[in-house]
Amino acid sequence: MHVVIAPDSFKGTASAADAAAAIARGWRSVRADDEVVERPMADGGEGTLDAFEAAVPDARRMPITVRGPVAVQGRVAVQGRATDSAPIATHWLLLPGGTGVVELAATSGLSLVDPLAPFDAHTAGFGDAIVAALDAGVKRLLLAVGGSASTDGGVGALSALGARFLGVDGRPVGLGNRALGRLDRVELSGLRPLPDGGAMVLGDVTNPLLGEGGAAAVFGPQKGADAADIIVLEANLARFARLVPGVSAEAPGAGAAGGAGFGLLAWGAEMGGGAALVASAAGLAHDLVGADLVVTGEGRFDGQSEAGKAPSHVARLAAEAGAPVALIAGSITAEPRGFAASVALAGLAGDRAAAMADPVRWLEAAGARLASGHSSRTPGGT
């Protein structure tokens, strides 16, 4: 059999590469003679850099140190710069031909913030990494924005790129959503120009900036916000949006990454599908030709998973290639339509906590479960 294993990361527990390797080991423990191809995937969130690095020959890591992702207590320090959490040692990726890939999760991401800071987390480190790529002379930018810790509308990133966000006293308001409550004037004239090839935002959501489907309401809770906090986060984002000309808060993807999508649109970036671009770079469609089974997965398969996330895109490519596809997820809370088989790690482990405590073990077990239930052409499992 020819089996292609193409999962996204299991956020906070296993990278896409680690997940693919574990599933492959589990499969081979049952069917050692099968041809198993590992193709780690991403959709613009955590692990996008790793997926591009694995897919693109001669991709080069560019080490950098950026500002930490939290403005401590929202204070504005000397010279108008917020007091930040510890700097982050990270990297961006330089692809052959001069394209730079910058990942928000690796610079200003949720996994870098403990405890969560819904009002004071920001995207300045993400902006620092974009600036580093521009300084290196990239011809085009791919900006992966999933996995954000903040709801700052992208103000931190725009500040790093040269924009100014001022209060009624004419001084910078600082970083984080809390600072947006003091915002009186936005000056975008100092923004660095886009590279000649432009900048594309790789995102897995199409949410607007504001409203019931917006950045604060939908994504605020995972960043530590309660119901009362969400009201304030929303009001501060709305204040910011009113002061930015030429960009609609209703634009699809404006609410991505706590509104960083909106900020990047204000810079002139365009929205694109993260999973589709990663799959194209990896040559996934070619790998699926003649596959007897495709296995994909992610940490949580839910109602948002069909809106551009990696497993659903992999499933569409598999359908086009005429290959059945199986799903492995940490938890499954929505009907996995279009999948011939599905396995929830929480079910194998007994509960979600046990699965998260040892994800590699249960990913291997899931791979073995699928292999055990698979005959010559028909996948099985539960």
Side-chain angles (χ1 to χ4, degrees), residues 46-366:
E46 180 183 357
T48 297
L49 287 181
D50 293 339
F52 269 103
E53 186 175 22
V56 180
D58 299 324
R60 186 153 54 103
R61 289 191 177 204
M62 307 295 286
I64 49 171
T65 299
V66 302
R67 277 174 282 178
V70 178
V72 179
Q73 298 178 0
R75 294 194 301 268
V76 177
V78 185
Q79 299 179 343
R81 291 196 62 176
T83 303
D84 294 332
S85 52
I88 301 296
T90 184
H91 67 279
W92 58 279
L93 200 65
L94 179 61
L95 305 183
T99 293
V101 187
V102 183
E103 181 184 300
L104 191 152
T107 54
S108 308
L110 194 62
S111 64
L112 303 174
V113 178
D114 186 17
L116 299 177
F119 287 102
D120 298 314
H122 58 74
T123 54
F126 181 50
D128 292 341
I130 295 172
V131 168
L134 292 173
D135 288 346
V138 297
K139 299 175 182 177
R140 180 183 182 226
L141 280 169
L142 299 178
L143 305 174
V145 298
S148 164
S150 65
T151 311
D152 76 340
V155 164
L158 293 178
S159 296
L161 286 163
R164 284 161 50 88
F165 301 91
L166 309 174
V168 292
D169 59 0
R171 300 180 62 188
V173 296
L175 298 173
N177 181 283
R178 188 189 308 276
L180 299 183
R182 303 189 293 273
L183 190 61
D184 182 67
R185 189 165 81 252
V186 174
E187 296 181 356
L188 301 180
S189 59
L191 279 170
R192 293 277 297 265
L194 293 165
D196 291 343
M200 180 168 289
V201 180
L202 309 184
D204 59 6
V205 300
T206 58
N207 301 64
L209 180 66
L210 304 172
E212 292 183 0
V218 175
F219 305 113
Q222 72 186 33
K223 301 171 186 182
D226 61 22
D229 294 336
I230 288 169
I231 294 171
V232 180
L233 293 170
E234 173 86 0
N236 290 346
L237 285 176
R239 183 186 186 95
F240 168 50
R242 288 194 297 268
L243 296 171
V244 177
V247 184
S248 171
E250 296 299 315
F262 178 84
L264 293 170
L265 287 172
W267 185 35
E270 298 179 353
M271 287 288 169
L277 280 167
V278 174
S280 176
L284 184 62
H286 178 268
D287 290 327
L288 300 185
V289 175
D292 296 293
L293 180 68
V294 180
V295 181
T296 188
E298 64 180 338
R300 177 185 174 92
F301 187 87
D302 56 21
Q304 297 182 39
S305 294
E306 293 184 354
K309 288 184 176 289
S312 294
H313 185 72
V314 172
R316 283 193 291 274
L317 291 179
E320 292 170 6
V325 60
L327 172 71
I328 295 174
S331 62
I332 299 175
T333 61
E335 180 65 27
R337 294 188 295 268
F339 294 95
S342 60
V343 180
L345 302 189
L348 290 178
D351 58 40
R352 183 169 176 268
M356 293 183 69
D358 195 356
V360 170
R361 171 189 174 187
W362 297 110
L363 284 162
E364 288 188 19

